[in-house]
């Protein structure tokens, strides 16, 4: 049984973030270039080139012909137009039992696709794969989602029947993980062979206290603390209050962890830990272009970036 302290978990997490910090910065820049934000910095190469020509301030024109967007959308459209999907087929079409089993499995699969907004998720993951270079998801059972069940009757301390709290039926959730939030062990050669994978995200302090009421007093309220968050919609950073960082680490099933193991924690306290349900590792990862000697991947924008810079320079 693993017995890691909060200090050890935070150390593993912080060390992992340091080794991929340059790639994470490149991934954020790729999103900005894809969205057409090519002139975020005031003193970049193009501005200096215009200044060197003694061009008047009012006549300076910086043109952005966003070919990166066109190329990425062409690749993304090719992936989506292929119509790749998942369906269950009977192992033996002549066997009635196999046919019935495949029909039941397809019915469950169709319900799953409907509940998880499958087509919208596919579009999101395809764009992550093309633009950022990595597509990552966490698939897990969320007991706090699904249909609301009718409350059950309970007995109070006096033996009188009272109405209990309402509960959710729960459902399978597919959570999108941004690549710059992913962490992996130091020295890992591939994501497949990595001992564990994890990620972090921002969450409301009030919401986290509801999810972990036993540790509510140890969850620091960040109303007096400001966090700087990257906004992928515009490629810039924004500041927020009243939130905290939630970290999650998932160990794959191995000789040390036969059923796998997970930790969900903040920087101050471990909120949840235990074996993976049914020993299933929840994080799914794939990448666009493999980086030699690294388990991470990069996107087509790394090759397009110098070409786009020259196009913008010649057009301006």
């Amino acid at each position: 049984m693993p017995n890691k302290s909060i200090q050890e978990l935070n150390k593993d997490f912080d060390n992992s973030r340091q080794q991929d910090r340059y790639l994470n910065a490149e991934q954020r820049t790729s999103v900005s270039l894809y969205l057409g934000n090519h002139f975020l910095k005031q003193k970049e190469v193009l501005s200096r080139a215009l200044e060197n020509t003694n061009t008047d301030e009012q006549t300076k024109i910086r043109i952005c012909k966003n070919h990166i967007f066109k190329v990425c959308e062409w690749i993304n459209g090719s992936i989506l137009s292929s119509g790749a999907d998942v369906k269950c087929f009977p192992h033996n079409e002549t066997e009635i039992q196999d046919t019935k089993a495949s029909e039941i499995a397809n019915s469950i699969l169709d319900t799953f696709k409907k509940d998880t907004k499958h087509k919208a998720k596919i579009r999101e993951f395809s764009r992550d794969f093309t633009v950022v270079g990595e597509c990552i998801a966490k698939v897990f059972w969320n007991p706090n989602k699904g249909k609301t069940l009718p409350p059950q009757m309970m007995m109070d301390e006096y033996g009188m029947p009272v109405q209990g709290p309402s509960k959710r039926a729960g459902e399978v959730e597919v959570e999108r993980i941004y690549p710059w939030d992913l962490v992996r062990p130091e020295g890992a050669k591939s994501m497949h062979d990595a001992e564990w994978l994890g990620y972090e995200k921002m969450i409301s302090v009030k919401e986290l206290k509801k999810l972990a009421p036993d540790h509510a007093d140890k969850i620091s309220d960040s109303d007096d603390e400001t966090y700087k968050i990257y906004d992928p919609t515009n490629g810039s950073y924004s500041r927020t209050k009243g939130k905290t960082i939630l970290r999650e680490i998932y160990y794959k099933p191995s000789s040390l962890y036969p059923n796998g193991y997970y930790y969900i924690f903040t920087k101050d306290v471990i909120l949840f830990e235990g074996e993976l349900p049914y020993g299933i590792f929840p994080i799914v990862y794939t990448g666009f272009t493999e980086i030699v000697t690294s388990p991470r991947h990069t996107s087509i924008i790394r090759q397009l970036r110098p070409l786009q810079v020259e196009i913008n320079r010649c057009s301006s």
Side-chain angles (χ1 to χ4, degrees):
M1 181 68 67
N3 186 23
K4 286 204 169 187
S5 64
I6 186 65
Q7 291 79 14
E8 292 174 322
L9 292 172
N10 280 319
K11 182 179 179 181
D12 291 343
F13 215 99
D14 294 335
N15 290 341
S16 175
R17 291 202 63 81
Q18 286 297 316
Q19 63 184 348
D20 290 330
R21 64 186 183 277
Y22 295 115
L23 176 64
N24 294 338
E26 178 186 334
Q27 291 171 336
R28 295 185 178 97
T29 303
S30 296
V31 176
S32 296
L33 295 174
Y34 168 79
L35 295 175
N37 300 321
H38 294 192
F39 303 106
L40 292 178
K41 296 182 179 179
Q42 296 181 354
K43 293 184 179 180
E44 36 74 38
V45 178
L46 183 56
S47 292
R48 290 196 297 269
L50 292 173
E51 291 173 359
N52 293 334
T53 59
N54 296 322
T55 305
D56 184 75
E57 184 68 28
Q58 296 181 351
T59 60
K60 290 180 181 179
I61 299 177
R62 296 191 296 185
I63 297 176
C64 171
K65 294 183 177 180
N66 196 359
H67 291 274
I68 288 180
F69 177 84
K70 293 181 179 180
V71 173
C72 290
E73 283 301 291
W74 180 81
I75 297 174
N76 187 45
S78 300
I79 295 173
L80 296 177
S81 62
S82 65
D85 203 351
V86 178
K87 191 174 182 181
C88 301
F89 294 91
H91 179 70
N92 188 348
E93 295 183 356
T94 60
E95 291 287 341
I96 298 179
Q97 185 176 359
D98 286 1
T99 303
K100 289 292 183 181
S102 66
E103 291 176 355
I104 294 173
N106 280 319
S107 177
I108 296 173
L109 186 58
D110 290 340
T111 302
F112 164 77
K113 292 179 180 179
K114 181 180 178 181
D115 293 342
T116 58
K117 298 178 175 59
H118 180 70
K119 291 184 178 180
K121 290 289 185 183
I122 291 298
R123 288 194 294 270
E124 289 179 354
F125 290 133
S126 177
R127 188 162 284 108
D128 284 348
F129 178 77
T130 306
V131 176
V132 189
E134 294 179 322
C135 171
I136 314 161
K138 185 182 78 168
V139 185
F140 65 104
W141 177 260
N142 191 339
N144 299 315
K145 287 196 173 184
K147 297 180 179 179
T148 302
L149 300 175
Q152 298 181 350
M153 300 303 295
M154 303 174 60
M155 295 294 181
D156 62 9
E157 56 183 351
Y158 302 105
M160 300 296 293
V162 294
Q163 186 174 343
S166 60
K167 296 182 178 181
R168 295 293 188 104
E171 68 178 21
V172 177
E173 182 177 353
V174 181
E175 181 179 349
R176 180 186 183 186
I177 299 177
Y178 292 113
W180 46 80
D181 291 331
L182 183 73
V183 295
R184 45 90 178 186
E186 290 185 278
K189 298 302 182 182
S190 70
M191 293 298 184
H192 177 73
D193 298 330
E195 179 187 5
W196 56 267
L197 292 177
Y199 73 105
E200 66 180 9
K201 61 182 178 181
M202 297 298 298
I203 186 172
S204 168
V205 172
K206 294 181 179 179
E207 180 183 353
L208 186 57
K209 288 183 177 181
K210 290 181 180 179
L211 294 175
D214 295 340
H215 302 282
D217 57 331
K218 298 180 181 179
I219 300 174
S220 58
D221 195 327
S222 59
D223 287 339
D224 58 345
E225 187 174 358
T226 301
Y227 285 97
K228 195 175 181 181
I229 303 176
Y230 178 71
D231 186 355
T233 59
N234 55 23
S236 62
Y237 289 85
S238 60
R239 298 183 181 275
T240 183
K241 291 184 178 181
K243 292 188 177 183
T244 189
I245 296 177
L246 184 66
R247 293 178 164 182
E248 302 183 15
I249 288 181
Y250 296 89
Y251 287 86
K252 297 180 179 180
S254 61
S255 58
L256 185 60
Y257 311 112
N259 295 318
Y261 208 82
Y262 71 91
Y263 290 96
I264 301 177
F265 58 100
T266 65
K267 290 186 176 181
D268 302 316
V269 61
I270 298 176
L271 303 177
F272 307 100
E273 64 174 297
E275 294 185 346
L276 296 178
Y278 304 102
I280 299 176
F281 189 71
I283 297 180
V284 183
Y285 173 95
T286 188
F288 189 87
T289 301
E290 183 179 358
I291 302 175
V292 181
T293 70
S294 173
R296 305 300 297 264
H297 293 71
T298 186
S299 72
I300 188 66
I301 294 180
R302 174 176 284 190
Q303 286 74 39
L304 297 176
R305 187 173 180 177
L307 303 177
Q308 183 66 63
V309 169
E310 188 64 18
I311 291 172
N312 290 344
R313 187 191 69 81
C314 294
S315 302
S316 300

